[in-house]
Amino acid sequence: MLLLRNIFLKTLRDHRWGTLLWGVGLGAIISMDVWLYPEYSTSSEKLADLQRAYEAFGFLTGEVVPVDTLGGFLTVESFGYIGVMLGIWLAVVGVGLFRGEEEQGALELLMSTPRSRVEVFAAKAAGMAVAGLGAVTVFGGVLFGVVAATNQSLPFWGTLGALLNTYLMAMFWGAAGVLAGQVIPLRRTASLVTGGLLLGTYLLNSVAEIVGGLEWLTWLLPAHYYSLTKSLVPGRAVDPLGIGVLAAGTTALLMAAGYMFVRRDVGGRFALWPEARYTGAAEERTRRLGSPALLGSVFGKSLRDQFGSMLGWGLGLAALGAVIVGTAEEALEPLFKTFASFPLFEQFMGDAVSVEAYLSLVLFLYLPVLVIVYALTQVWGWASDEEEGRLELLVAEPVPRWAALLGRYAASAVTLAGVLAMAAGGMLLTAQLTGLDLDYGRVVGAVAAIAAPTLVVLAFGLALATWMPRPGVAVGITAAVVVAMYFVDMMSQLFDWPAFVQHLTVFHYYGRP
């Protein structure tokens, strides 16, 4: 009951599990890198090979600092994307602070109490900021602990600077999520738009840094300012410009969001420009109500709802695959020369130096996880429909419950096929345009095989959401199970765990195509 006494504490309570799980999860990711580093640091030749391999990936990592220290290694290997990952979570949290509660009707109840809108906004924004700080604190504690346990060292103040930089990057996108929730009337749409901007600007910054004539564009992107601070590297410190721009940008976005929240209706949106008046004409009515296409069945309606998400995810994964395939030839030799000196990776890859093996390592090692995240958004959509009352209207009609669930699942399967087709298309088209010698059949098979574990996770998530009293919790549980299975699959191969342990994870059945 202590955490229900005011809006700030209630916000912290709502996100306590996310704070803990994200902190521990990111800590587990970086712990693997800390544990692996001694395998390289014992040999100057291995470090030189590793340096060349990272430089081949400069299009994704930006500036490649020397990796002859643990701090330099973690800067290139981990901190380049950890702020982005945490930013995805805070972006979703930011959208849900207001738009999520408006869809549930909870914000109307809160605003009926004698509290000003400014007070409500400030308390919720502060709760998000402290939740993000809590996740970074947990992550930092795990990092310091594993460094001490492995008898290695990191600069104390430099580590704090890197953690501060990570926190500000995540908070920038959390504030962007709050702003998006003021102008976009649907929570899912606002979350997808904010997440798409985050990933899109991150990739655009990586490309713009290496393409002549586009360097000026990086100064408009938050990822550029995040990349300026490399305080874990000896001789480097926190970059005042990068930290200052991220902090000022976060403040500006929150102030703009607060202005909009105070001046709009609860449940409505802030109009950025004057909306056209209703003329009464039949054509205008049709335009406002939208087309009735695909609204005749649960399957059709679900397909229509998921089309935008499918298009965004498919094009994003196609672009990612295109970038990696397009740079395969220049990255292949230094990458495999490095891994040839690190026997543990043979358990993942074998010793075949080929374009297909390269894609298996740098793309298909984590592509199934990205596609499963897409499936989790579909579970989230089902849970939101039930918690926000939309599912009640559907089952009140003469629609069997099994038909409602099966129609939703079938639509998700169809859009999943669309996402995978676009991802494979981006890789194959790039290979064709660049003249890369690539086994198209293997690529198509590797992409198509992702459907099986993804459909299993989707079925598990939907079953859990239909069973739990609070369906939204099913999304977090399913995500935690996926993360656990991914790490079990990795660690069981590294440490040769018993076969029955490997069989507990869906990633084991996907294998290493």
Side-chain angles (χ1 to χ4, degrees):
M1 295 299 293
L2 177 63
L3 294 180
L4 296 176
R5 291 187 176 181
N6 57 54
I7 301 171
F8 169 73
L9 293 177
K10 172 65 165 54
T11 304
L12 286 181
R13 181 181 185 273
D14 290 342
H15 301 291
R16 63 191 186 281
W17 288 112
T19 298
L20 180 61
L21 291 175
W22 274 91
V24 172
L26 294 178
I29 292 174
I30 204 169
S31 294
M32 293 185 65
D33 295 328
V34 173
W35 177 79
L36 289 173
Y37 183 69
E39 295 286 341
Y40 297 108
S41 60
T42 55
S43 168
S44 58
E45 183 179 352
K46 290 182 179 180
L47 286 175
D49 290 338
L50 183 65
Q51 187 76 40
R52 286 193 293 271
Y54 279 130
E55 288 172 353
F57 282 91
F59 65 92
L60 288 177
T61 61
E63 179 192 2
V64 180
V65 299
V67 295
D68 54 355
T69 63
L70 176 61
F73 175 70
L74 293 181
T75 297
V76 179
E77 175 68 19
S78 306
F79 276 94
Y81 64 84
I82 279 181
V84 176
M85 293 181 65
L86 193 63
I88 293 174
W89 171 60
L90 272 190
V92 174
V93 170
V95 172
L97 281 182
F98 297 96
R99 185 56 64 188
E101 292 197 1
E102 285 176 89
E103 290 187 352
Q104 297 171 358
L107 192 61
E108 293 184 10
L109 180 63
L110 176 61
M111 297 309 302
S112 67
T113 61
R115 291 180 174 85
S116 69
R117 292 197 171 205
V118 173
E119 178 187 355
V120 171
F121 183 88
K124 284 183 167 290
M128 178 185 71
V130 173
L133 182 61
V136 172
T137 302
V138 173
F139 164 64
V142 174
L143 174 59
F144 279 116
V146 73
V147 168
T150 55
N151 296 317
Q152 301 182 77
S153 63
L154 286 173
F156 178 76
W157 293 110
T159 304
L160 291 185
L163 293 174
L164 173 63
N165 189 44
T166 299
Y167 172 67
L168 289 177
M169 177 65 169
M171 272 300 299
F172 178 91
W173 288 106
V178 177
L179 181 63
Q182 309 306 314
V183 297
I184 299 176
L186 294 178
R187 178 182 183 180
R188 276 178 286 177
T189 304
S191 297
L192 289 172
V193 168
T194 309
L197 286 174
L198 190 163
L199 296 176
T201 54
Y202 177 74
L203 291 175
L204 180 60
N205 178 72
S206 300
V207 173
E209 286 184 346
I210 63 171
V211 176
L214 292 181
E215 293 89 346
W216 62 271
L217 188 59
T218 63
W219 295 96
L220 305 176
L221 305 173
H224 170 72
Y225 298 98
Y226 173 64
S227 67
L228 293 179
T229 292
K230 292 180 169 57
S231 56
L232 287 173
V233 180
R236 303 283 287 268
V238 171
D239 188 276
L241 176 63
I243 294 293
V245 170
L246 289 177
T250 300
T251 303
L253 289 173
L254 287 176
M255 290 179 64
Y259 174 87
M260 295 177 182
F261 176 70
V262 169
R263 286 163 175 78
R264 68 175 177 87
D265 293 333
V266 174
R269 65 181 180 88
F270 185 86
L272 297 177
W273 47 79
E275 296 184 347
R277 293 181 177 274
Y278 174 59
T279 62
E283 295 82 7
E284 179 69 11
R285 183 183 299 109
T286 301
R287 185 187 68 81
R288 285 179 170 270
L289 294 178
S291 169
L294 296 177
L295 295 179
S297 66
V298 175
F299 171 77
K301 172 66 164 55
S302 300
L303 203 61
R304 171 172 161 156
D305 291 343
Q306 297 173 23
F307 180 80
S309 178
M310 176 194 73
L311 197 61
W313 276 86
L315 293 176
L317 294 180
L320 176 63
V323 169
I324 292 178
V325 170
T327 57
E329 289 186 326
E330 64 176 324
L332 185 61
E333 183 178 350
L335 185 69
F336 275 89
K337 186 177 180 182
T338 299
F339 290 155
S341 61
F342 191 30
L344 284 176
F345 275 90
E346 292 184 7
Q347 300 179 48
F348 292 97
M349 293 301 307
D351 57 359
V353 180
S354 65
V355 176
E356 290 78 17
Y358 163 78
L359 293 181
S360 181
L361 177 63
V362 302
L363 181 60
F364 286 97
L365 193 64
Y366 60 85
L367 185 60
V369 180
L370 295 178
V371 177
I372 286 176
V373 172
Y374 168 74
L376 290 178
T377 65
Q378 309 308 319
V379 178
W380 181 27
W382 174 275
S384 299
D385 284 350
E386 185 169 356
E387 289 189 344
E388 294 158 15
R390 288 188 291 269
L391 196 60
E392 292 182 9
L393 181 62
L394 175 63
V395 297
E397 299 293 329
V399 177
R401 294 197 174 199
W402 64 266
L405 183 59
L406 208 57
R408 190 67 166 265
Y409 184 80
S412 297
V414 171
T415 58
L416 170 63
V419 169
L420 295 177
M422 283 186 278
M427 299 177 214
L428 299 181
L429 180 60
T430 304
Q432 182 69 27
L433 294 176
T434 58
L436 186 67
D437 185 15
L438 183 64
D439 189 327
Y440 289 7
R442 289 195 175 190
V443 172
V444 172
V447 173
I450 297 174
T454 305
L455 290 174
V456 171
V457 172
L458 177 62
F460 173 81
L462 288 177
L464 200 61
T466 58
W467 172 68
M468 300 193 68
R470 292 184 59 190
V473 178
V475 182
I477 294 176
T478 306
V481 170
V482 170
V483 171
M485 288 193 297
Y486 185 74
F487 279 103
V488 166
D489 183 55
M490 291 288 188
M491 302 304 287
S492 62
Q493 295 182 65
L494 287 174
F495 297 108
D496 196 23
W497 288 355
F500 79 89
V501 176
Q502 299 180 29
H503 293 163
L504 297 176
T505 165
V506 295
F507 298 103
H508 168 73
Y509 299 99
Y510 178 69
R512 297 283 174 263

